[in-house]
Amino acid sequence: MSDAPANRSERYDRRDPAGRRQRNRLFAGACVSVAALAVCVLVVLVASVALRGAGRLDLAFLTGANSEAVAEDAGFGPAIVGSLCLMMICALAAIPLGVGTALLLEEYAPRKRLLRWFHGVVQANITNLAGVPSIVYGILGYTALATMFNAVGSPDTPGFSFGARYVAEYRDLSNQSVFVGLDNAQAALPPASAGLAYFADADLSERLATQVVTAEEIDPMRAELTGALDGVERRFRTALRAAQPDGQRGPVRVTRELAAQIAGELFDGLELQGDLTAYRELAQAQLMKMDGLSGLDLLPVRRALVNDLRDMEFAAAGARGVLEAGAEPQRRQVRAWYYFQAPFGRSVLTGGLTLALVVLPIVIVSSQEAIRAVPSSQRDAALALGGTQWQSIEQVVLPTAVPGICTGTILAMSRAIGEAAPILLLAFSFIQFTPVFREGGSLMDAFTAMPLQVFQWTSNPGDAFQSTTAAGILVLLAVLLSFNAVAVFLRYRFQGPR
Amino acid sequence: MTAMIQAPPQPASTESCDSAAPALPETPADAQIEVERLDGFYGQAQALHGLSLSIARNQTTAFIGPSGCGKSTLLRWINRMNDLIPAARATGQVRIDGQDILAHGTDVVELRRRVGIVFQKPNPFPKSVYDNVAFGPRLHYRLSRSETDALVERSLRGAALWEEVKDRLKDSAFGLSGGQQQRLCIARAIAVEPQVLLMDEPCSALDPKSTVAIEDLMAELKQRYTIAIVTHNMQQAARASDYTGFLYEGRLVEFGPTQRVFSSPTQTRTEDYIAGRFG
C-alpha cells in the first residue's frame, strides 16, 4: 500500500507541492481582497448617502409633493405612489404573460417541423431580448403604447375612450375658471365666488352646458344677478357709514357687536337662488378679527370685502358673458377613476406596461427554468392517468414550479422598480400630484417614479438638492432591498429542505 | 411481509393455481391487445421491426430482452406515452378490444384512462398519499368527499398498501420507502379503474423485499386487469408471468407461454439469453 505512491512519484516528474499551495493561497487572497474592496466602496457609499439623506427622511418628505425650486419643500410622495402603481401594472401584465409564454415554450413544444423552427426562433429572441438596452424599451413603449403609432388618434384626442364626461369651462375676467355642467358646480367655483352659487341649479347648468339657454331666460337672470351685487355693495356702504359716528373720517372703534351687526346685515334680504351662508360666514369672520382692537382703520375690512365683491363681480361678468353666449366654452374633461383611452398617452398605464416589456424576458426565462426543473416523470404520471395537457400543467407542473417562478418574478420586479431609462420618455418628473390615487385620478394619469425623481434632483445645479437626492436614494434602496428580501424568503421557504 | 403473502383472499389464489395448471396455448385464446406489424421509430432510427403478438386478457405477459431491444418502446406505444417524445412515430396496428389505438383521432386521454402504466422509477406527486391516489379519479370525475375516501381506500387495498399507510394518508408521499412509493404508484394507476396495466420495469429500482411484494400484488391484480410487464429480471418473468416475449434488436424473437419459453425455447438466441450467455 505504501509502496504505490513511492513508485508513482519515482516514475513521474512531481509538481512542486509548495508552489502549488502557494498559488492556491494567492488566488484565494486575490479573490478576498477584491471582494473586500468592493464591499468597502459599497459601505462608504451607502454610509455617505445615509448621512446626507437621514435629515430629510421624515413624513413630510415621504408624503409631500415635489418641488422643482425649493429643495426643502421637495417631497417624494408622488414618486413613491407612482412607482408602486407602475409595479402593480407591471406585475399584473408581466406575470400572466410571462408564465403563459414559458408554459407554451416548455409544455407545448410543437411536433411539426416548421412550428419547431418557429419555436426555436421565438426562444432565441426571448433570450436575446433580455439583453436589449432598456431605453430601447422606453422608445418602444412611447411609440407603441403612448401614441400607438398615431393610428387611433393622438393621446390628446384619443380615438377611443370611456369613463370621461365633458363639462363646459368658462374663464371669467380674473381668468378664474367657472365650470358649468358639473353636478357639483359650487365646489368647482373659486372660493371668493362662493356667493355666486347661482349655477348650482343643476337644471340651468345642464342647459348652459348644452348651450340651449334662450335670450328670454338670460335677461331676468342678469337683472337678478346685478341687483344682488348692487344690494351687497350698498349694504356694505351703509353699514360702514353707520359705524362711523358723527360722519367723521378716520379711525373707528369696532366692537364685537358692531362686527356681527355689519356681517349680519350685509346679506340680509338678498334673494339669490344660491346659498349665501358661506360668504356671510367669511365676511363675519373677517370682521370679527377686528374685535377688541381700538383705533383700527376699517380699511382692511373694506378692502377685503371690496376684493371679494370685485371677484364676485368678475365672476358675474364672466357669467354674463357666458349667458350672452358670447364666450366660447372650453370643453373640459372630468374623468372617472376607471377612465380609459386608446392611445395610452404618457400615462401610468404606459409606464407600467413598458416596464412589463422590460422584465418580460426575465420573467419568461426564469419561469422556463422553474418549469423545466419539474421532473418529466411528474408530467408523465399525470398524463398516464389520463390527464389532459392542461390538467398536467395546472395540477402538477405549476404547483411544483411556483416557488421558482415567484423568486424569478420578484427579482424581475425589483429590477423594474429601479429602472429609470425605460420611463425617461414617459414620466413627468415635475408633477406635484399623486398619480392615480387622487380625485379624478385614473390609470391615464401622468406620473413620476422614484428612480426618475432621483435622477431629476441629481441633475439640478448646485448643492441644494443633495440631501433631498440622498433621501430619495435611501427610500429607493429600502424598497429594493425589501423586494429582494421577499424573494430570498420565498426561496428558503419553498426550496429549502422539504 | 408475511401478512402480504397471506393477504390474497383464498379463492383468488386457488384460481391462479388452476389457470397455471393446464398448459397454456401458444397464442392466447382471448387476446385483449393485438399488436400487428408494429414498426416504431425515433427520428430516423427504427426501434421496433414488424412486431406482431397478442396479450391475453387477465393474464400477465412479460417482455424480456437486453437493454435497448425495444421492449419499453413497445409498452409505451400501447398507451401512446411515446406521443410525448417529439420524434417518435409508429406504423402498424395496436388493437385493444378490436380498436386500433394508433389510428388518427384516437382519444388519447380516454385511452390512457383505460390503459394505465407504472414506470420504472416510483414517481409519486409531491402531495399527500391520499391526494396521490385521488389524483387520477379527480381528473375524470367530480367526486364527493365520501366517494373519494372509498376510492382511495379501495385502491390502496388493491395495491396492498392500505395497512401500511392508513394512519398517514395526509403525509407526503415522499416519506414512504421506495417499495411503498411504487405500490402507491400502482394504487394511483388502478384508482382510475383501467382495463390494462402496463408495468415498465416496476421493480428495477427496488430492493428484493419490495420486489416480492410487488410480484405478489401482480398475481392478485391480474384477476381484474390485463398486465403487461417489461423486466430485466428473467427470474421475475419466470415467476410472475403467464406469457413471455423475448425481444432482440427490435424484433420479437420468441413468444409463448412462460413455462414453455423458459423450459424449451425454440430459438437459440432465446436459449442463450435465458442461460445468461449474453445480455
Side-chain angles (χ1 to χ4, degrees):
Chain A
M1 191 64 199
S2 59
D3 287 350
N7 287 341
R8 215 170 284 144
S9 63
E10 278 160 29
R11 219 176 317 143
Y12 302 115
D13 188 14
R14 259 196 102 164
R15 280 182 174 277
D16 167 30
R20 260 189 323 157
R21 279 176 208 126
Q22 203 174 358
R23 277 192 294 280
N24 186 32
R25 275 198 299 274
L26 197 71
F27 180 71
C31 286
V32 168
S33 46
V34 170
L37 183 72
V39 169
C40 280
V41 171
L42 182 70
V43 166
V44 169
L45 217 63
V46 172
S48 73
V49 169
L51 282 177
R52 237 180 290 169
R56 285 241 42 207
L57 216 53
D58 51 16
L59 197 67
F61 175 76
L62 291 175
T63 56
N66 182 29
S67 162
E68 285 221 84
V70 190
E72 286 70 35
D73 291 347
F76 212 34
I80 295 174
V81 175
S83 272
L84 293 180
C85 290
L86 290 180
M87 282 309 95
M88 293 281 287
I89 296 166
C90 178
L92 285 178
I95 294 173
L97 213 54
V99 174
T101 310
L103 282 174
L104 176 74
L105 289 172
E106 286 302 313
E107 298 288 313
Y108 291 93
R111 295 170 69 91
K112 294 227 163 57
R113 200 175 187 163
L114 188 72
L115 285 176
R116 275 218 306 275
W117 175 82
F118 183 67
H119 185 262
V121 169
V122 170
Q123 179 68 67
N125 270 312
I126 285 167
T127 318
N128 285 335
L129 279 177
V132 169
S134 47
I135 184 73
V136 175
Y137 285 102
I139 297 165
L140 174 68
Y142 183 79
T143 318
L145 298 171
T147 66
M148 292 196 175
F149 310 100
N150 292 318
V152 278
S154 79
D156 295 328
T157 52
F160 168 77
S161 70
F162 69 83
R165 58 204 181 89
Y166 289 91
V167 296
E169 179 189 32
Y170 303 97
R171 298 263 160 196
D172 64 18
L173 292 184
S174 58
N175 206 29
Q176 280 176 315
S177 298
V178 177
F179 302 116
V180 179
L182 270 166
D183 291 339
N184 51 350
Q186 188 167 14
L189 288 171
S193 308
L196 282 181
Y198 203 82
F199 298 127
D201 175 11
D203 184 45
L204 175 64
S205 325
E206 210 43 53
R207 277 178 296 151
L208 276 172
T210 47
Q211 294 273 301
V212 291
V213 186
T214 58
E216 293 83 71
E217 284 172 316
I218 291 172
D219 281 339
M221 281 192 288
R222 183 170 52 202
E224 188 184 0
L225 202 62
T226 324
L229 284 169
D230 290 350
V232 171
E233 190 75 29
R234 204 166 49 241
R235 272 153 207 277
F236 174 71
R237 290 202 195 94
T238 316
L240 204 66
R241 263 203 301 280
Q244 280 178 323
D246 309 334
Q248 281 177 3
R249 296 188 159 272
V252 175
R253 190 180 200 90
V254 183
T255 61
R256 177 191 286 267
E257 291 74 33
L258 179 58
Q261 186 199 338
I262 295 176
E265 287 175 355
L266 211 49
F267 297 100
D268 262 1
L270 268 186
E271 287 199 7
L272 273 179
Q273 289 185 14
D275 183 14
L276 291 170
T277 320
Y279 190 75
R280 185 182 288 129
E281 277 169 3
L282 181 77
Q284 188 165 359
Q286 277 178 282
L287 281 162
M288 293 292 260
K289 277 189 208 152
M290 328 286 297
D291 180 42
L293 297 175
S294 55
L296 191 74
D297 199 344
L298 252 184
L299 200 60
V301 188
R302 186 186 159 75
R303 198 180 290 136
L305 284 170
V306 165
N307 277 346
D308 284 354
L309 283 167
R310 198 184 55 215
D311 282 351
M312 290 169 72
E313 208 166 359
F314 279 161
R320 246 175 258 138
V322 169
L323 296 179
E324 280 154 12
E328 269 302 302
Q330 294 284 311
R331 266 157 66 87
R332 189 174 176 281
Q333 213 177 34
V334 179
R335 295 172 170 185
W337 63 269
Y338 51 81
Y339 175 72
F340 179 82
Q341 69 175 47
F344 297 155
R346 293 168 63 179
S347 61
V348 179
L349 184 64
T350 309
L353 292 179
T354 304
L355 285 178
L357 288 178
V358 176
V359 299
L360 202 52
I362 311 174
V363 174
I364 293 173
V365 170
S366 65
S367 300
Q368 272 187 291
E369 262 152 33
I371 290 164
R372 215 175 297 149
V374 178
S376 62
S377 65
Q378 299 279 311
R379 295 181 184 84
D380 288 355
L383 294 173
L385 290 167
T388 61
Q389 182 96 53
W390 173 245
Q391 282 177 317
S392 133
I393 291 171
E394 184 197 12
Q395 298 181 31
V396 175
V397 177
L398 273 185
T400 314
V402 151
I405 291 174
C406 278
T407 313
T409 306
I410 291 173
L411 290 178
M413 289 301 136
S414 70
R415 173 171 170 199
I417 204 168
E419 282 279 5
I423 50 171
L424 204 57
L425 295 172
L426 302 170
F428 297 86
S429 60
F430 52 81
I431 65 163
Q432 310 243 334
F433 58 83
T434 306
V436 184
F437 297 100
R438 61 178 177 125
E439 203 186 327
S442 69
L443 289 182
M444 297 295 154
D445 272 3
F447 70 99
T448 179
M450 288 195 276
L452 203 87
Q453 200 67 68
V454 169
F455 173 71
Q456 185 245 323
W457 284 335
T458 345
S459 40
N460 272 355
D463 293 345
F465 275 88
Q466 264 200 359
S467 60
T468 309
T469 309
I473 290 171
L474 285 179
V475 175
L476 185 53
L477 271 181
V479 173
L480 269 175
L481 288 179
S482 53
F483 266 64
N484 284 323
V486 172
V488 169
F489 170 77
L490 280 179
R491 193 159 49 215
Y492 275 89
R493 174 80 177 70
F494 291 108
Q495 295 184 339
R498 278 179 194 262
Chain B
M1 211 38 246
T2 42
M4 291 287 314
I5 294 168
Q6 287 161 0
Q10 215 49 44
S13 53
T14 51
E15 194 182 312
S16 71
C17 283
D18 288 343
S19 63
L24 290 161
E26 267 299 303
T27 47
D30 180 14
Q32 179 159 31
I33 303 171
E34 294 158 289
V35 178
E36 202 176 314
R37 294 194 308 279
L38 178 68
D39 289 324
F41 302 86
Y42 291 112
Q44 295 303 311
Q46 186 165 6
L48 299 176
H49 297 266
L51 296 193
S52 293
L53 56 92
S54 297
I55 295 174
R57 192 183 303 276
N58 285 21
Q59 303 218 293
T60 302
T61 305
F63 294 100
I64 57 171
S67 293
C69 70
K71 49 196 195 302
S72 286
T73 305
L74 168 64
L75 210 63
R76 290 169 64 91
W77 273 121
I78 297 177
N79 73 345
R80 300 258 308 253
M81 283 307 279
N82 270 336
D83 283 7
L84 305 180
I85 299 163
R89 63 199 167 83
T91 58
Q93 285 195 341
V94 175
R95 288 191 298 274
I96 299 181
D97 290 323
Q99 182 204 353
D100 180 17
I101 57 104
L102 292 185
H104 272 291
T106 303
D107 182 355
V108 180
V109 166
E110 176 57 22
L111 168 70
R112 292 187 187 137
R113 195 189 67 73
R114 282 166 52 204
V115 184
I117 187 166
V118 176
F119 297 97
Q120 179 173 3
K121 228 181 124 213
N123 58 348
F125 298 119
K127 301 171 187 286
S128 69
V129 172
Y130 184 96
D131 287 337
N132 260 281
V133 180
F135 187 91
R138 281 174 181 160
L139 293 176
H140 300 282
Y141 315 106
R142 291 180 196 284
L143 296 167
S144 73
R145 180 79 210 184
S146 58
E147 285 170 330
T148 317
D149 285 347
L151 224 149
V152 167
E153 180 174 346
R154 194 168 62 210
S155 306
L156 284 171
R157 281 190 194 282
L161 192 60
W162 174 253
E163 292 302 324
E164 289 161 71
V165 300
K166 65 179 177 189
D167 296 325
R168 41 183 180 142
L169 291 176
K170 295 287 162 222
D171 294 358
S172 166
F174 287 174
L176 301 179
S177 75
Q180 287 174 326
Q181 286 188 11
Q182 192 64 302
R183 274 180 284 148
L184 178 65
C185 291
I186 294 173
R188 188 174 66 183
I190 62 179
V192 293
E193 289 169 351
Q195 294 154 4
V196 180
L197 197 57
L198 309 173
M199 299 177 127
D200 189 358
E201 302 189 34
C203 302
S204 65
L206 302 183
D207 62 300
K209 215 172 139 187
S210 306
T211 303
V212 173
I214 296 213
E215 284 177 20
D216 289 344
L217 179 58
M218 279 163 53
E220 198 187 331
L221 288 175
K222 78 172 183 187
Q223 311 302 324
R224 293 165 58 200
Y225 309 102
T226 299
I227 297 177
I229 176 172
V230 158
T231 176
H232 260 323
N233 181 334
M234 276 171 290
Q235 283 76 33
Q236 185 173 52
R239 277 194 306 264
S241 70
D242 302 305
Y243 282 91
T244 296
F246 171 58
L247 274 74
Y248 184 70
E249 290 182 349
R251 290 182 171 82
L252 186 66
V253 175
E254 187 154 1
F255 188 88
T258 302
Q259 229 170 358
R260 205 270 301 148
V261 170
F262 277 85
S263 57
S264 51
T266 57
Q267 305 290 317
T268 49
R269 262 207 302 255
T270 315
E271 198 178 343
D272 291 350
Y273 183 72
I274 290 169
R277 280 195 276 274
F278 78 98

